[in-house]
């Protein structure tokens, strides 16, 4: 598919959450991402669409997939990419997020990608800098590029999203991935089931148009997609679970629970995975059912699309 440098119109200056996007914004990003899929598999992956642009990656929380794919995405588009090493930065000397933002802003970046442990941190940053800001995950709030790459993976595998029944299972309470996916999958016409123990289920979740289940076999029944989530131990202030073994028994994805989903159901997980806690290790690696590797692969294409579109704002 031909890739051109034409400016693409999106309603937002920043990508802070799925909730800010219109359906045409989402379609525009996904259509643009599709164009990068074959490029990313080819021998020559380099374009010059963002030549002369400066991208700063600012990750205050650990990341493997999101940080590396944003870095690769920027480089493949020809941008100058600088990933700040937070552990060696002035933040360790007490500099605030705002002062860090003002300092970086003085260097005239064209786009900043930020991950932060505080919900709303990317919104705050976007108010302090002149360039576009892409949220790479903020606290429990949103992880918009994860939801977009999940949607692209579903479209590639199932050819549609509208009408699919999708179960999102696990630690919903602490999950920005769950929130962004609920907003996006609802917008695109899927039926969303949420499966979690009652203490990991947000109280007001039904207002987002989802069905809730505390029994996993009931929640995944007749589903086209089973999306598993990691237990976010780092966001738990007290012990939410009696044991990992008990959690696995009731809420881990095992063959007997997956049997309740449709025969051709696919398994998704944003990563990182805790094998033997939220997912059976054989199911995670089952090449006929698991699309976890494809999610990572398509993450680069989605982030290329987002960088291209938002750099132009
Ligand atoms: N899915 C996801 O955000 O993974 P990382 O924490 O490795 O970026």
């Amino acid at each position: 598919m031909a890739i051109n440098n034409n400016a693409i119109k999106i309603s937002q200056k920043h990508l802070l959450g799925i909730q800010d996007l219109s359906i045409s914004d989402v379609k525009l990003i996904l259509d643009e991402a599709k164009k990068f899929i074959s490029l990313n598999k080819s021998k020559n992956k380099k374009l010059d669409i963002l030549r002369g642009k400066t991208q700063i990656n600012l990750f205050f929380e650990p990341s493997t997939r999101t940080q590396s794919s944003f870095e690769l995405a920027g480089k493949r588009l020809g941008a100058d990419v600088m990933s700040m090493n937070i552990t060696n930065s002035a933040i360790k000397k007490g500099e605030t997020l705002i002062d860090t933002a003002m300092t970086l802003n003085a260097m005239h970046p064209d786009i900043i990608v930020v991950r932060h442990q505080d919900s709303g941190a990317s919104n705050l940053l976007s108010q302090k800098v002149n360039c576009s800001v892409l949220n790479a995950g903020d606290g429990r709030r949103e992880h918009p590029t994860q939801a977009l790459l999940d949607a692209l993976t579903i479209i590639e595998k199932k050819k549609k999203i509208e009408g699919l029944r999708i179960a999102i299972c696990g630690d919903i309470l602490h999950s920005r991935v769950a929130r962004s996916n609920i907003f996006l999958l609802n917008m695109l016409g899927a039926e969303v089931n949420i499966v979690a123990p009652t203490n990991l289920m947000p109280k007001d979740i039904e207002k987002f148009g989802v069905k809730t289940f505390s029994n996993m076999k009931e929640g995944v029944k007749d589903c086209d997609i089973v999306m598993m989530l990691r237990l976010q131990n780092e966001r738990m202030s007290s012990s939410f679970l009696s044991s990992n073994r008990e959690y696995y028994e009731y809420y881990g994805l095992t063959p007997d629970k997956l049997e309740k989903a449709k025969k051709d159901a696919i398994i998704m997980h944003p990563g990182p995975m805790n094998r033997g806690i939220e997912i059976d290790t054989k199911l995670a690696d089952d090449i006929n059912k698991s699309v976890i590797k494809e999610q990572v692969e398509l993450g680069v294409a989605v982030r290329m699309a987002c960088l291209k579109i938002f750099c132009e704002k």
Side-chain angles (χ1 to χ4, degrees), residues 59 62-67 115 136 143 146 176-177 270-272 303:
F59 279 65
S63 168
T64 298
R65 284 144 282 268
T66 314
Q67 183 166 1
R115 167 170 290 192
H143 192 350
Q146 179 67 48
R176 56 198 177 206
V177 174
R303 284 159 184 142

Side-chain angles (χ1 to χ4, degrees), residues 56-62 67 82-97 100-101 104 112-117:
I56 297 180
N57 295 336
L58 199 50
F59 279 65
F60 292 85
E61 268 192 344
Q67 183 166 1
M82 194 273 278
S83 292
M84 261 193 66
N85 184 344
I86 298 293
T87 49
N88 283 337
S89 74
I91 288 154
K92 291 288 161 195
K93 299 177 190 164
E95 189 166 70
T96 63
L97 174 64
T100 304
L104 295 173
I112 297 178
V113 179
V114 63
R115 167 170 290 192
H116 200 279
Q117 60 279 8

Side-chain angles (χ1 to χ4, degrees), residues 177-244:
V177 174
R179 283 174 60 86
S180 288
N181 262 302
I182 288 168
F183 299 143
L184 186 57
L185 294 171
N186 260 334
M187 188 196 292
L188 297 176
E191 188 183 314
V192 181
N193 288 355
I194 296 297
V195 180
T198 46
N199 59 349
L200 293 176
M201 182 78 84
K203 298 236 169 333
D204 53 355
I205 191 87
E206 273 144 353
K207 77 176 181 206
F208 296 117
V210 297
K211 286 188 192 151
T212 59
F213 297 84
S214 56
N215 181 300
M216 188 158 171
K217 285 184 179 172
E218 289 171 15
V220 302
K221 190 169 179 290
D222 297 329
C223 280
D224 300 278
I225 317 270
V226 181
M227 186 183 291
M228 299 307 301
L229 299 175
R230 181 177 68 88
L231 281 173
Q232 311 254 311
N233 287 312
E234 70 277 20
R235 298 190 212 289
M236 296 186 193
S237 49
S238 58
S239 179
F240 274 73
L241 307 166
S242 48
S243 73
N244 285 342

